[in-house]
């Protein structure tokens, strides 16, 4: 992998995202997370101003102002972007609060990456109000005005609580029950109960269980398989590596760069990393590497931010030299996760 | 005018900037505040920035008008993932008492360009929920249409499962799965849907009642494509929680032996055989 080329690519993206990304403006913090975490993995964070990043991220946080009632049904986290952020009215009352769980996860992840001490984040109302998003079945809605509920937001909620080291925002038992309901007959996890097993859903399930402390590191060696069907899961996960060396997200689908992370990270968390044919995976990923930096979804296509990021994380899991190692369950580097 | 979608189509041909449209002359756009030092800035096109600034002005003023509704359609056209825009659109649909059947058409048009977007499907569900059982056929048809283009469309399958559970319409679902599997035996989504139907349909009596006929169906499929992971996994799924009959069922043994005796050894077959040997030991240990 051409590390310098990718660092330059990530730095260019940091300074200006091309116009096609405007259609994802609502997830601006997620786009920023991809860029900034890429720089960190590539050991190139020294190219950017960390304080400016921290201040920018913090400016998306919703402050309800006067003592807001955490039981009013709203969630007070981070806005995803500027278009959804509105100034308070003349009396200082916030009329439009569109805080989002994924944006909140990305905000906190970026803050950790740039070394901001999360104990300085006003998180009391954030955590208390997060409970408003958890549904009776244990799943999470991403935003209080309504939205699809699935494993992605269970993961976001778990990662937020883990990073803040405070679990008051989540009913862990309920969240666990929801996750277990998403395990399919074939061993993988769908995004919602009944849905087809999916690499991304399986990552959210396993990473969440790990963050919530329901499964230990190296689950295989500890033999604690009472919670989920580990042998069936492992069979499903291992078989996601295709003939071309890449990983697919579902059986009988094409291999795709991003699943090298979603599936690779699950194997890592399960302590089953040695089931991967690393050489073949590396070969596949290199066919998706773009000559001017970044990675594409499929071989020989143009790169995008999302697949580039998961290409870098995949190479980090492959222990590519010069890359920082990854905290698989948080989706940031080990150094960022540990606050070093 | 009802849904604002026909306007989007017209404007696609020759889009006039909002500031040049007389009907918007009374509105002052509300630009977003990027702060002193924007990080990871996006190079907005002029059209995008303008639509969003007008949207922000109208949303902040809470203007519940037909023109506001048509503006949300334009904003969605530029960024279909913007949940704030969709949220305001739902408020407008309610305030203006719009016929929600028109809204289904609007969603269909938006989905034609960008169907892999969570907000579109969330919105669709909101509309269908409001319409209730009346929407059942429209929703089954809509998902069928999307699946005819991409038979493994994750959002479409999730929506369809929700429709079945919330609004009903199970009668033809097993046949639909068979139809899709006939087109492509390797369609894992269709196998998954089949499992969903036999375990969840109130008309079929559950996994236990369906096992025998489903095993027959699956064994046939395995004989045609013994390398197909999907059918093998489905077969094993039919014995979920029944490890003893999984290990002892002669139908499973015979298909394993038959495929074993052919010249090619498939990974999925090896896994199945090993798993059966392992589970068959369990009653002995007990």
């Amino acid at each position: 992998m051409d590390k310098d080329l990718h660092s330059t690519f990530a730095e260019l993206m940091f300074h200006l995202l091309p116009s096609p990304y405007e259609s994802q403006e609502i997830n601006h913090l997620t786009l920023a997370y991809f860029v900034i975490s890429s720089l960190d993995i590539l050991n190139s964070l020294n190219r950017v101003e960390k304080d400016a990043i921290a201040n920018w991220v913090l400016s998306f946080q919703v402050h309800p102002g006067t003592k807001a009632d955490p039981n009013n049904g709203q969630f007070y986290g981070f806005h995803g972007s500027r278009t959804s952020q509105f100034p308070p009215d003349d009396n200082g009352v916030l009329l439009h609060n569109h805080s989002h769980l994924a944006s909140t996860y990305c905000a906190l992840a970026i803050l950790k990456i740039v070394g901001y001490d999360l104990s300085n984040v006003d998180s009391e109302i954030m955590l208390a109000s997060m409970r408003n998003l958890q549904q009776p079945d244990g799943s999470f809605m991403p935003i209080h005005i309504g939205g699809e509920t699935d494993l992605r937001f269970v993961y976001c909620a778990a990662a937020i609580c883990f990073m803040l080291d405070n679990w008051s925002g989540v009913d862990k038992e309920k969240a666990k029950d929801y996750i277990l309901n998403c395990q399919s007959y074939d061993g993988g996890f769908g995004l919602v109960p009944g849905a087809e097993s999916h690499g991304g859903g399986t990552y959210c399930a396993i990473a969440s269980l790990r963050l919530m402390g329901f499964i230990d590191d190296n689950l295989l060696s500890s033999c604690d398989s009472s919670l989920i069907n580990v042998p069936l899961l492992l069979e499903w996960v291992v078989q996601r590596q295709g003939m071309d060396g890449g990983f697919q997200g579902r059986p009988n689908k094409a291999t795709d760069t991003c699943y090298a992370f979603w599936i690779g990270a699950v194997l890592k968390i399960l302590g089953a990393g040695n089931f991967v044919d690393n050489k073949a995976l590396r070969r596949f990923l290199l066919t998706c590497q773009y000559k001017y930096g970044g990675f594409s979804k499929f071989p020989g296509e143009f790169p995008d931010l999302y697949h580039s990021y998961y290409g870098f994380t995949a190479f980090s899991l492959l222990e590519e030299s010069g890359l920082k190692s990854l905290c698989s369950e948080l989706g940031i580097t080990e150094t960022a996760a540990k606050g070093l | 005018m009802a849904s604002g979608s026909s306007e989007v189509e017209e404007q696609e041909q020759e889009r006039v900037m909002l500031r040049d449209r007389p009907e918007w002359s009374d509105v002052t756009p509300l630009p977003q505040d990027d702060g002193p030092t924007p990080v990871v800035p996006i190079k907005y096109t002029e059209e995008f920035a303008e639509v969003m600034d007008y949207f922000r002005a109208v949303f902040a003023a809470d203007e519940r008008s037909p023109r506001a509704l048509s503006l949300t359609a334009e904003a969605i056209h530029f960024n279909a993932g913007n949940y704030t825009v969709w949220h305001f659109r739902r408020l407008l649909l309610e305030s203006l008492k719009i016929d929600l059947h028109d809204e289904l058409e609007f969603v269909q048009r938006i989905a034609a360009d960008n169907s892999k977007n969570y907000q579109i499907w969330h919105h669709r569900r909101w509309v269908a929920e409001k319409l209730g059982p009346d929407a059942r056929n429209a929703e089954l048809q809509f998902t069928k249409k999307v699946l005819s283009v991409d038979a493994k469309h994750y959002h479409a399958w999730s929506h369809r499962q929700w429709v079945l559970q919330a609004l009903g319409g199970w009668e033809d679902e097993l046949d639909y799965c068979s139809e899709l599997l006939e087109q492509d035996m390797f369609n894992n989504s269709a196998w998954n849907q089949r499992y969903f139907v036999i375990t969840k349909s109130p008309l079929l009596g559950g996994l236990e009642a369906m096992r025998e006929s489903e095993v027959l169906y699956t064994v046939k499929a395995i004989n045609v494509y013994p390398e197909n992971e999907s059918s093998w996994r489905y077969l094993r799924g039919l014995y979920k929680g029944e490890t003893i009959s999984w290990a002892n069922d002669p139908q499973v043994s015979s298909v394993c032996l038959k495929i074993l005796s052919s010249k090619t050894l498939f990974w999925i077959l090896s896994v199945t055989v090993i798993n059966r040997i392992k589970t068959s030991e369990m009653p002995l240990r007990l």
Side-chain angles (χ1 to χ4, degrees):
Chain A
M1 188 189 105
D2 195 334
K3 182 181 155 293
D4 292 337
L5 188 70
H6 293 302
S7 297
T8 305
F9 169 81
E11 197 184 348
L12 276 173
M13 293 291 125
F14 181 83
H15 290 298
L16 192 62
L17 289 174
S19 295
Y21 286 99
E22 71 187 7
S23 66
Q24 296 176 56
E25 187 275 346
I26 191 73
N27 300 315
H28 202 166
L29 274 179
T30 308
L31 297 173
Y33 154 77
F34 287 146
V35 175
I36 294 161
S37 196
S38 290
L39 287 166
D40 189 23
I41 291 167
L42 295 164
N43 228 331
S44 304
L45 210 52
N46 54 353
R47 300 185 183 203
V48 294
E49 237 276 62
K50 292 183 194 170
D51 287 346
I53 294 172
N55 290 332
W56 180 74
V57 168
L58 289 167
S59 72
F60 287 95
Q61 190 179 0
V62 173
H63 298 284
T66 51
K67 288 278 172 198
D69 175 11
N71 299 316
N72 66 2
Q74 300 201 26
F75 166 56
Y76 298 104
F78 286 74
H79 278 124
S81 78
R82 294 293 184 217
T83 62
S84 59
Q85 201 173 21
F86 291 84
D89 72 4
D90 297 340
N91 302 318
V93 177
L94 188 74
L95 295 176
H96 301 296
N97 165 25
H98 289 175
S99 304
H100 195 280
L101 272 183
S103 309
T104 305
Y105 158 71
C106 289
L108 297 177
I110 297 171
L111 290 172
K112 277 194 88 80
I113 293 165
V114 298
Y116 186 85
D117 183 354
L118 290 192
S119 63
N120 293 328
V121 173
D122 177 14
S123 58
E124 199 182 323
I125 187 102
M126 190 192 304
L127 290 160
S129 63
M130 208 160 89
R131 287 256 179 180
N132 295 325
L133 300 177
Q134 193 165 19
Q135 304 299 298
D137 65 0
S139 67
F140 274 84
M141 213 160 53
I143 183 168
H144 82 270
I145 53 170
E148 68 284 4
T149 65
D150 60 48
L151 277 182
R152 290 172 304 152
F153 305 117
V154 173
Y155 171 76
C156 290
I160 290 165
C161 292
F162 185 89
M163 287 190 278
L164 292 170
D165 195 18
N166 182 335
W167 288 90
S168 59
V170 173
D171 182 332
K172 283 204 270 188
E173 285 298 320
K174 272 190 169 178
K176 180 187 77 182
D177 290 344
Y178 182 77
I179 295 170
L180 301 187
N181 277 333
C182 291
Q183 188 169 28
S184 165
Y185 65 89
D186 63 12
F189 290 77
L191 277 171
V192 293
E196 184 184 4
S197 294
H198 183 278
T202 305
Y203 171 81
C204 289
I206 299 304
S208 302
L209 290 175
R210 176 76 191 95
L211 291 170
M212 291 193 287
F214 287 116
I215 55 177
D216 296 328
D217 251 344
N218 295 314
L219 186 62
L220 295 191
S221 42
S222 67
C223 286
D224 172 24
S225 56
S226 51
L227 195 62
I228 50 171
N229 190 335
V230 177
L232 200 60
L233 166 66
L234 192 63
E235 259 177 44
W236 184 86
V237 176
V238 167
Q239 218 177 347
R240 301 285 58 80
Q241 187 161 26
M243 298 297 280
D244 60 5
F247 280 95
Q248 61 189 183
R250 295 181 263 164
N252 295 324
K253 290 269 286 179
T255 53
D256 167 338
T257 298
C258 70
Y259 296 108
F261 172 77
W262 300 122
I263 300 287
V266 169
L267 285 163
K268 186 83 181 282
I269 296 168
L270 292 175
N274 49 350
F275 286 106
V276 180
D277 182 343
N278 285 342
K279 266 191 190 160
L281 176 59
R282 203 169 182 281
R283 238 185 350 255
F284 170 81
L285 289 171
L286 288 176
T287 64
C288 298
Q289 177 175 252
Y290 191 57
K291 58 183 170 183
Y292 302 122
F295 285 87
S296 55
K297 178 182 170 80
F298 298 128
E301 294 187 345
F302 287 115
D304 64 78
L305 212 47
Y306 170 87
H307 290 94
S308 298
Y309 182 62
Y310 291 110
F312 303 149
T313 54
F315 268 100
S316 171
L317 289 174
L318 285 169
E319 297 176 12
E320 179 82 1
S321 74
L323 262 54
K324 285 204 208 167
S325 63
L326 205 65
C327 172
S328 301
E329 57 271 32
L330 273 186
I332 56 179
T333 62
E334 284 282 3
T335 50
K338 287 183 182 146
L340 301 174
Chain B
M1 195 68 197
S3 63
S5 52
S6 53
E7 282 170 42
V8 171
E9 277 169 11
E10 280 162 28
Q11 282 147 14
E12 283 238 51
Q13 281 138 30
E14 202 182 323
R15 191 175 182 280
V16 178
M17 295 294 282
L18 290 159
R19 59 172 177 260
D20 296 328
R21 294 184 213 171
E23 71 269 28
W24 287 105
S25 58
D26 60 315
V27 174
T28 309
L30 178 61
Q32 63 187 57
D33 179 8
D34 272 323
T37 47
V39 171
V40 200
I42 301 170
K43 191 177 189 305
Y44 298 116
T45 60
E46 208 186 338
E47 289 84 359
F48 178 90
E50 196 207 32
V51 164
M52 292 316 292
D53 291 350
Y54 273 81
F55 166 77
R56 286 168 52 78
V58 168
F59 180 58
D62 198 19
E63 180 187 308
R64 310 280 177 106
S65 67
R67 74 170 180 184
L69 184 68
S70 99
L71 184 63
T72 60
E74 286 196 56
I76 285 165
H77 178 74
F78 280 98
N79 53 161
N82 191 310
Y83 37 79
T84 298
V85 177
W86 283 106
H87 166 68
F88 189 47
R89 185 172 178 86
R90 285 190 278 278
L91 295 179
L92 290 163
L93 291 170
E94 286 184 325
S95 301
L96 302 173
K97 299 191 172 56
I98 301 291
D99 181 351
L100 291 177
H101 293 94
D102 292 343
E103 189 63 5
L104 290 180
E105 276 178 38
F106 170 73
V107 176
Q108 188 151 341
R109 271 190 223 115
I110 293 287
D113 294 336
N114 186 4
S115 63
K116 295 201 170 164
N117 173 296
Y118 287 94
Q119 275 66 42
I120 290 174
W121 292 94
H122 174 66
H123 186 73
R124 180 99 194 174
R125 185 188 290 200
W126 179 85
V127 176
E129 228 160 22
K130 291 239 154 206
L131 290 171
D134 274 2
R136 177 206 295 166
N137 289 340
E139 294 317 283
L140 292 176
Q141 281 307 315
F142 174 64
T143 46
K144 212 170 191 171
K145 200 173 165 189
V146 176
L147 293 168
S148 70
V149 180
D150 176 1
K152 300 174 183 176
H153 197 295
Y154 207 83
H155 298 280
W157 280 117
S158 295
H159 188 72
R160 195 172 175 91
Q161 292 194 345
W162 171 79
V163 172
L164 290 167
Q165 287 181 307
L167 310 174
W170 294 92
E171 294 77 8
D172 302 322
E173 197 62 11
L174 194 61
D175 287 344
Y176 178 53
C177 295
S178 301
E179 189 187 311
L180 287 179
L181 288 172
E182 219 161 276
Q183 288 165 20
D184 178 14
M185 280 284 182
F186 293 85
N187 181 350
N188 194 63
S189 307
W191 283 105
N192 183 75
Q193 183 72 354
R194 194 175 183 93
Y195 198 85
F196 177 78
V197 175
I198 63 159
T199 52
K200 300 262 164 56
S201 168
L203 312 173
L204 294 177
L207 183 57
E208 191 83 16
M210 294 300 290
R211 187 173 295 128
E212 202 180 322
S213 58
E214 284 303 289
V215 168
L216 271 176
Y217 178 89
T218 312
V219 165
K220 261 190 217 160
I222 290 174
N223 279 320
V224 181
Y225 294 111
E227 73 276 31
N228 187 2
E229 179 186 347
S230 299
S231 43
W232 283 104
R233 291 208 181 280
Y234 183 81
L235 182 67
R236 186 147 147 208
L238 293 173
Y239 295 88
K240 192 178 175 192
E242 298 283 340
T243 45
I244 296 169
S245 54
W246 161 246
N248 298 328
D249 194 324
Q251 285 189 96
V252 182
S253 302
S254 80
V255 71
C256 287
L257 283 171
K258 188 174 167 194
I259 307 299
L260 269 174
S261 63
S262 69
K263 295 277 185 287
T264 335
L265 187 63
F266 301 109
W267 202 92
I268 186 70
L269 171 66
S270 327
V271 169
T272 308
V273 172
I274 291 166
N275 176 266
R276 292 186 76 237
I277 295 168
K278 264 171 61 192
T279 42
S280 70
E281 284 173 0
M282 283 172 65
L284 296 177
R285 269 198 300 198
L286 289 169

